[in-house]
Amino acid sequence: GRVKVQMTGASGHSIVLYRMENDDICTLSIGCLMTGRAYRAEAVVEDGAEALMIPRGAFDRLMDQSAGFRLGIMESYGRRLDDLMLLVEEVAFRRMDKRLEEWLLARGALGPVMITHQELAVELGTAREVVSRLLKELERRDMVRLSRGKIEVTGLLESPPPA
């Protein structure tokens, strides 16, 4: 299956932190088990999934007694930390219009993308209004065609010529 892990901030805006596929370990769950603290995130099942939950006591014992288990957990944690650092870099340092264009290019090459403006805003970690404004501009430039819950990439997305 597939599970999306997202976080909602005090502003009410959400961002997708990562997705888990078969045999992935939830990094935030690892953090909760290690610290005993909860995090403001939620897991949303996108495709039917089965999950294995480990009680904290069993997790602690396995971390203490099994080098293989400990190594697997730490490797998984390290990989996901790298992914999260890239996400922070994207959100903090890249322009939203460029992030949107890249997202559309990556997913729109195979046909229409079935997604609402709100869902796309969560994917990119911004407000729906920002996504709607940027999509309208791309539509005005004949680069996308918009309809309810669907975005079709109709032209190569590239930066407009300098004004």
Side-chain angles (χ1 to χ4, degrees):
R2 191 162 115 156
V3 177
K4 169 176 65 174
V5 178
Q6 64 187 32
M7 185 175 107
T8 302
S11 66
H13 297 288
S14 297
I15 185 170
V16 173
L17 299 174
Y18 54 88
R19 283 186 167 78
M20 294 183 296
E21 303 281 339
N22 291 336
D23 300 324
D24 279 344
I25 300 170
C26 181
T27 303
L28 288 179
S29 293
I30 294 169
C32 291
L33 286 166
M34 285 199 263
T35 65
R37 293 180 33 206
Y39 292 98
R40 288 185 331 204
E42 64 181 343
V44 179
V45 176
E46 293 181 316
D47 293 326
E50 290 183 20
L52 174 66
M53 297 177 68
I54 300 174
R56 184 165 185 200
F59 177 82
D60 289 342
R61 278 190 303 283
L62 284 167
M63 288 293 281
D64 286 342
Q65 298 169 2
S66 173
F69 179 83
R70 185 173 49 254
L71 180 62
I73 292 293
M74 298 313 286
E75 284 177 349
S76 173
Y77 203 76
R79 281 191 307 274
R80 189 70 73 197
L81 185 57
D82 286 344
D83 294 343
L84 289 171
M85 293 302 293
L86 289 173
L87 176 63
V88 168
E89 182 178 337
E90 286 282 310
V91 171
F93 303 121
R94 297 217 39 242
R95 289 178 29 177
M96 183 53 63
D97 58 339
K98 299 300 175 203
R99 292 178 51 221
L100 174 61
E101 288 179 18
E102 283 182 15
W103 193 96
L104 289 171
L105 276 176
R107 286 153 186 88
L110 300 175
V113 180
M114 305 305 290
I115 193 167
T116 67
H117 293 196
Q118 178 61 42
E119 291 166 337
L120 184 50
V122 170
E123 290 292 322
L124 297 173
T126 190
R128 182 199 50 78
E129 297 82 4
V130 171
V131 166
S132 295
R133 179 177 48 80
L134 291 172
L135 285 171
K136 280 295 185 190
E137 176 59 22
L138 291 174
E139 184 178 51
R140 188 190 65 72
R141 293 170 32 207
D142 293 324
M143 295 180 170
V144 298
R145 185 175 306 118
L146 304 174
S147 54
R148 187 168 196 83
K150 181 167 82 172
I151 303 169
E152 294 177 75
V153 177
T154 57
L156 289 177
L157 296 172
E158 55 187 57
S159 300

